[in-house]
Amino acid sequence: MAEEPDVTAAPALPASGARPTIADVARRAGVSKGLVSFALNDRPGVKAETRERILGVADELGFTPSVRARALSVDRSFALGLVIARDPSIVAADPFFPTFISGVESELSEVGQALVLASTTSQRQEAETYRQLAGDKRVDGVFLTDLRANDERIGLLQKLGLRAVTLGRPDVSSPFPAVSSDDGAGIRAVVDHLVLLGHTRIAHVAGPADLLHAAHRRTAFEGAMTDAGLDATRVVETDFSAREGAEATRRLLAVRSSHRPTAIVYSNDPMAIAGIAIARRAGLDVPRDLSVAGFDNTDLAEHVYPSLTSVATDVALWGATAARVLLAAVAGDAIDGRTPLPTRLVIRESTAAAPTTT
Amino acid sequence: MAEEPDVTAAPALPASGARPTIADVARRAGVSKGLVSFALNDRPGVKAETRERILGVADELGFTPSVRARALSVDRSFALGLVIARDPSIVAADPFFPTFISGVESELSEVGQALVLASTTSQRQEAETYRQLAGDKRVDGVFLTDLRANDERIGLLQKLGLRAVTLGRPDVSSPFPAVSSDDGAGIRAVVDHLVLLGHTRIAHVAGPADLLHAAHRRTAFEGAMTDAGLDATRVVETDFSAREGAEATRRLLAVRSSHRPTAIVYSNDPMAIAGIAIARRAGLDVPRDLSVAGFDNTDLAEHVYPSLTSVATDVALWGATAARVLLAAVAGDAIDGRTPLPTRLVIRESTAAAPTTT
DNA sequence: ATGGTCATCTAAACCGGTTTAGGTGAGCGA
DNA sequence: TCGCTCACCTAAACCGGTTTAGATGACCAT
């Protein structure tokens, strides 16, 4: 009537050094492999006492299931993927990815999932990368960043059978949950702030038109300007690089002073910083002659001269949220329709009252 | 005597949709699974004709081996890991990681290996992260970045049985190959450049002393100064953040002008940019009153005002090289002793002749 | 006593590769 | 003709989990 299994008679521990397997646990607990699996996964059909005993033995042996074996038998990877397709130098200048990744990681590490990274340059390679990730079943789902107009990746991912979460809402019909940041509100806040300061000739240095969030910021700019009864035509498109930000600024300032913008709203911080440099070279003082605002509130924004007014977005939170949504999607639960993450205007030295007309 | 297998009699293709497995190839080629495996892995004991036939069938079916199944049976992951342990905001400001990663990826994607990323904040978590990566056998090897003085991770990784490559040479005995960048030469080039411009009071804003590459740059600075017969005591330590770069600059400039440095060498670009801002706030003109040099030649360096003299390092190449070395180490080939990657001084506007003594 | 139901558990198949032990037959020397 | 070696190939075990089919026995109603 030994309710408690006789420990002295219990089979020996597995050879030290090697990790215990489910078979070791089964042997030691005097049950079959299958039952151990059932007990560990909290499935019905295991007597309470037995379950306790199995869990005890597993604990005692320090058993943790092999991710690889599980991956093979349940056809899951327990990993999520992130494909970065921007030009390396632009990625480097923009703190988005590192911050986003740290947010993602904070969620993944808690549930024992891994993040697989892939980076490519051309879009040709990009599709190939997704294909490979899906073909090798390296990941269960992917984060879809830098959404483009009419994004072919949505269709591709469906065809490949990958789960996904999109950062922002695509302009094509998408079966994937989306997590958005309320960039539009941020841009509007900047424009309102500038209008309040008396600016009327406000320009916008936009990102690539085919990048949805860049286009969205631009649309928000135009909307806010129109709402304020102002001319919204001073817009220059760039590739988000500091170089093109500088070039755009040069172009915007190269008109006679009565038409020259008195304020420029940039679509990211590096471009704004480059813009300030160009203004100074043109003999303009920021903010006396020209107000400048950035976007994303980079670490550096606070430490340049003049310090940069910028729209703060909580990118790490965005990453964490996206990770939770994607994990749910992989698990089969569809959560979506979340309210966009808020943005916050951080006013610093680079914006001030519009110059009095000469 | 049918040399060519009769295709019409060949077993049907596997159910469309499902990926072909090695068993499908075997069936269709009329051989055993084992032989297919041998043929695909170029092992002896397969007749040339048979090998051809098997490869042909594999090709015809579009067979690619399952990474998972291979991982389970050969006990390898076909993935490399990168653990980022810096503070997220510092990682974000520094373009190192995105650039390094793109270099790594360029190598990995070609050989079908994946990059697994993990990021943590505290060092406590860091060890735990490596433990988990090793325990789950998520990766075959890791990149060891941001080497620290007396780095415990070297021992930990050995204990965990992980392969590794170190970025830079550790100060403790290490069984791992190392790939280095010749930061010291870069710093020396900056100092020589400044000395040539007539500067004598040159300061250094260093990174954390426990970070080996930061310490190395500092030592190089002190060595170059001493060699030039100059006082090398104007050194302030920081955590690499723009905030502390600004603070360090403030401190360095807060002495009477006859003792104030006329040039500051920063250990990275964001700090140098923040330093320029502080100088301007103090009423100093860069480079007239103060020369400033950065390190890493960030994208932004060219686009700030004044544009920043900086030491360019080819981080992407570093990543690619480290990846190749690590792949070799995982495969059992030890390659090391490579010459440090070169750096290049990029002279821009922020450095100029030392101010004439008043 | 007989059969049915249910809870509990075991045995074995399975995922898709690799690897080992062993089988087959051709070629060769005695 | 016999036995040996060798090249080529097959069958089966194995990696470490999950999952399905089925065995066992307790309990209950008939």
Side-chain angles (χ1 to χ4, degrees), chain A residues 19 64-69 71-72 74-79 84 88-95 97-99 101-103 105-106 108-109 111-120 125 132-140 241-244 246 269-271 273-278 280-281 285 298-300 302-307 349, chain B residues 19 64-69 71-72 74-79 84 88-95 97-99 101-103 105-106 108-109 111-120 125 132-140 241-244 246 269-271 273-278 280-281 285 298-300 302-307 349:
Chain A
R19 255 173 48 142
T64 53
S66 150
V67 176
R68 283 176 188 164
L72 183 59
V74 302
D75 197 31
R76 295 236 290 114
S77 301
F78 307 102
I84 300 180
S89 81
I90 296 177
V91 174
D94 190 333
F97 280 105
T99 314
I101 285 170
S102 83
E105 262 297 316
S106 68
L108 294 196
S109 63
V111 293
Q113 302 247 348
L115 177 65
V116 171
L117 215 74
S119 72
T120 62
Q125 278 181 302
Q132 204 165 319
L133 237 37
D136 289 352
K137 299 204 178 180
R138 279 306 239 296
V139 299
D140 297 321
S241 71
R243 170 179 305 282
E244 294 206 357
D269 280 1
M271 292 199 298
I273 292 172
I276 290 176
I278 293 299
R280 294 210 50 213
R281 282 176 206 285
D285 182 85
T298 302
D299 206 40
L300 211 46
E302 190 181 341
H303 299 286
V304 290
Y305 181 80
S307 62
E349 298 165 347
Chain B
R19 257 176 46 145
T64 53
S66 151
V67 175
R68 284 177 188 162
L72 182 59
V74 301
D75 198 32
R76 295 234 292 112
S77 299
F78 306 102
I84 301 179
S89 82
I90 296 177
V91 173
D94 190 333
F97 281 106
T99 314
I101 286 172
S102 84
E105 262 297 316
S106 68
L108 294 195
S109 63
V111 292
Q113 302 248 348
L115 176 65
V116 171
L117 215 74
S119 72
T120 62
Q125 279 182 299
Q132 203 164 320
L133 237 37
D136 289 354
K137 300 203 177 180
R138 279 313 245 283
V139 298
D140 298 321
S241 70
R243 169 178 307 282
E244 295 205 357
D269 280 0
M271 293 199 298
I273 292 172
I276 290 177
I278 294 299
R280 294 209 49 211
R281 282 177 205 284
D285 182 86
T298 302
D299 206 40
L300 211 46
E302 190 181 341
H303 298 287
V304 290
Y305 182 82
S307 62
E349 298 165 347

Side-chain angles (χ1 to χ4, degrees), chain A residues 134-157:
Chain A
D136 289 352
K137 299 204 178 180
R138 279 306 239 296
V139 299
D140 297 321
V142 295
F143 297 93
L144 211 49
T145 65
D146 284 342
L147 238 43
R148 295 189 288 261
N150 226 314
D151 209 314
E152 355 64 58
R153 292 176 298 174
I154 304 265
L156 175 64
L157 292 179

Side-chain angles (χ1 to χ4, degrees), chain B residues 1-357:
Chain B
M1 269 295 255
E3 287 287 337
E4 293 294 320
D6 183 352
V7 174
T8 61
L13 294 166
S16 72
R19 257 176 46 145
T21 73
I22 200 171
D24 295 319
V25 176
R27 212 176 353 261
R28 195 138 217 268
V31 297
S32 68
K33 272 171 51 175
L35 199 63
V36 174
S37 177
F38 274 51
L40 291 173
N41 293 309
D42 263 331
R43 296 175 43 154
V46 185
K47 192 169 28 166
E49 301 165 37
T50 315
R51 180 195 311 283
E52 291 309 312
R53 180 156 46 91
I54 291 173
L55 294 183
V57 170
D59 199 59
E60 177 192 353
L61 296 186
F63 169 80
T64 53
S66 151
V67 175
R68 284 177 188 162
R70 249 147 73 79
L72 182 59
S73 61
V74 301
D75 198 32
R76 295 234 292 112
S77 299
F78 306 102
L80 302 179
L82 176 59
V83 176
I84 301 179
R86 293 195 206 174
D87 182 84
S89 82
I90 296 177
V91 173
D94 190 333
F96 176 82
F97 281 106
T99 314
F100 182 78
I101 286 172
S102 84
V104 168
E105 262 297 316
S106 68
E107 291 292 320
L108 294 195
S109 63
E110 286 183 10
V111 292
Q113 302 248 348
L115 176 65
V116 171
L117 215 74
S119 72
T120 62
T121 320
S122 69
Q123 294 194 195
R124 178 91 192 76
Q125 279 182 299
E126 191 186 7
E128 195 45 49
T129 301
Y130 280 112
R131 234 178 270 281
Q132 203 164 320
L133 237 37
D136 289 354
K137 300 203 177 180
R138 279 313 245 283
V139 298
D140 298 321
V142 297
F143 297 92
L144 210 49
T145 66
D146 284 342
L147 239 41
R148 296 189 287 260
N150 225 314
D151 209 314
E152 354 63 58
R153 290 175 299 173
I154 304 265
L156 175 65
L157 292 179
Q158 278 183 272
K159 213 180 60 189
L160 293 175
L162 274 177
R163 305 302 166 111
V165 59
T166 59
L167 268 56
R169 214 165 292 282
D171 60 354
V172 295
S173 111
S174 155
F176 305 121
V179 177
S180 313
S181 169
D182 201 353
D183 288 8
I187 290 286
R188 280 177 172 275
V190 176
V191 172
D192 291 351
H193 165 63
L194 291 169
V195 168
L196 218 61
L197 287 170
H199 292 272
T200 53
R201 298 195 300 275
I202 306 174
H204 179 49
V205 174
D210 64 328
L211 245 47
L212 236 47
H213 60 286
H216 193 219
R217 287 175 202 175
R218 178 189 181 142
T219 305
F221 170 78
E222 292 166 346
M225 288 294 280
T226 306
D227 288 355
L230 297 174
D231 172 21
T233 58
R234 290 182 181 83
V235 177
V236 182
E237 187 185 328
T238 68
D239 66 355
F240 268 141
S241 70
R243 169 178 307 282
E244 295 205 357
E247 179 54 33
T249 307
R250 216 172 279 125
R251 197 133 31 109
L252 285 169
L253 298 181
V255 294
R256 67 174 186 283
S257 67
S258 59
H259 280 63
R260 195 189 292 152
T262 61
I264 305 182
V265 177
Y266 291 82
S267 205
N268 73 11
D269 280 0
M271 293 199 298
I273 292 172
I276 290 177
I278 294 299
R280 294 209 49 211
R281 282 177 205 284
L284 299 176
D285 182 86
V286 176
R288 202 194 57 208
D289 306 316
L290 180 73
S291 282
V292 166
F295 200 100
D296 274 344
N297 193 33
T298 302
D299 206 40
L300 211 46
E302 190 181 341
H303 298 287
V304 290
Y305 182 82
S307 62
L308 187 65
T309 292
S310 188
V311 175
T313 56
D314 194 338
V315 177
L317 176 62
W318 203 3
T321 308
R324 267 200 306 275
V325 170
L326 183 49
L327 284 173
V330 167
D333 313 344
I335 50 176
D336 189 349
R338 325 185 119 260
T339 57
L341 301 174
T343 56
R344 184 172 48 89
L345 176 62
V346 180
I347 296 170
R348 296 206 183 85
E349 298 165 347
S350 67
T351 47
T356 53
T357 328

Side-chain angles (χ1 to χ4, degrees), chain A residues 23-307:
Chain A
D24 296 318
V25 176
R27 215 177 349 264
R28 194 137 218 268
V31 296
S32 69
K33 272 172 51 174
L35 200 63
V36 174
S37 177
F38 274 50
L40 291 173
N41 293 308
D42 262 330
R43 293 166 55 144
V46 185
K47 196 174 19 168
E49 300 165 36
T50 315
R51 179 195 312 282
E52 291 310 311
R53 180 156 46 93
I54 292 173
L55 295 184
V57 170
D59 200 57
E60 177 193 352
L61 296 186
F63 169 80
T64 53
S66 150
V67 176
R68 283 176 188 164
R70 251 147 72 79
L72 183 59
S73 61
V74 302
D75 197 31
R76 295 236 290 114
S77 301
F78 307 102
L80 301 180
L82 176 58
V83 175
I84 300 180
R86 293 196 205 174
D87 182 83
S89 81
I90 296 177
V91 174
D94 190 333
F96 176 83
F97 280 105
T99 314
F100 182 78
I101 285 170
S102 83
V104 167
E105 262 297 316
S106 68
E107 291 292 319
L108 294 196
S109 63
E110 287 184 10
V111 293
Q113 302 247 348
L115 177 65
V116 171
L117 215 74
S119 72
T120 62
T121 320
S122 69
Q123 295 196 193
R124 176 91 193 75
Q125 278 181 302
E126 191 185 8
E128 197 43 51
T129 301
Y130 281 111
R131 236 178 270 280
Q132 204 165 319
L133 237 37
D136 289 352
K137 299 204 178 180
R138 279 306 239 296
V139 299
D140 297 321
V142 295
F143 297 93
L144 211 49
T145 65
D146 284 342
L147 238 43
R148 295 189 288 261
N150 226 314
D151 209 314
E152 355 64 58
R153 292 176 298 174
I154 304 265
L156 175 64
L157 292 179
Q158 279 183 271
K159 210 178 63 188
L160 293 175
L162 275 176
R163 304 301 164 112
V165 59
T166 59
L167 267 56
R169 215 166 292 281
D171 61 353
V172 295
S173 113
S174 157
F176 306 122
V179 177
S180 312
S181 168
D182 201 354
D183 289 7
I187 290 285
R188 281 176 172 274
V190 176
V191 172
D192 290 352
H193 163 64
L194 291 170
V195 168
L196 218 61
L197 287 170
H199 292 272
T200 53
R201 299 196 300 276
I202 306 174
H204 179 50
V205 174
D210 63 329
L211 243 48
L212 236 47
H213 60 286
H216 193 218
R217 288 175 200 173
R218 178 189 182 143
T219 306
F221 170 79
E222 291 166 345
M225 288 294 281
T226 306
D227 287 356
L230 298 174
D231 172 22
T233 59
R234 290 182 181 83
V235 177
V236 183
E237 187 183 328
T238 70
D239 66 356
F240 268 142
S241 71
R243 170 179 305 282
E244 294 206 357
E247 179 54 33
T249 307
R250 215 172 279 125
R251 198 131 32 106
L252 285 169
L253 297 181
V255 294
R256 67 175 188 282
S257 68
S258 59
H259 281 63
R260 196 189 292 151
T262 61
I264 306 183
V265 177
Y266 291 82
S267 206
N268 72 11
D269 280 1
M271 292 199 298
I273 292 172
I276 290 176
I278 293 299
R280 294 210 50 213
R281 282 176 206 285
L284 300 176
D285 182 85
V286 175
R288 200 194 58 207
D289 304 318
L290 180 72
S291 283
V292 165
F295 200 101
D296 275 342
N297 192 34
T298 302
D299 206 40
L300 211 46
E302 190 181 341
H303 299 286
V304 290
Y305 181 80
S307 62

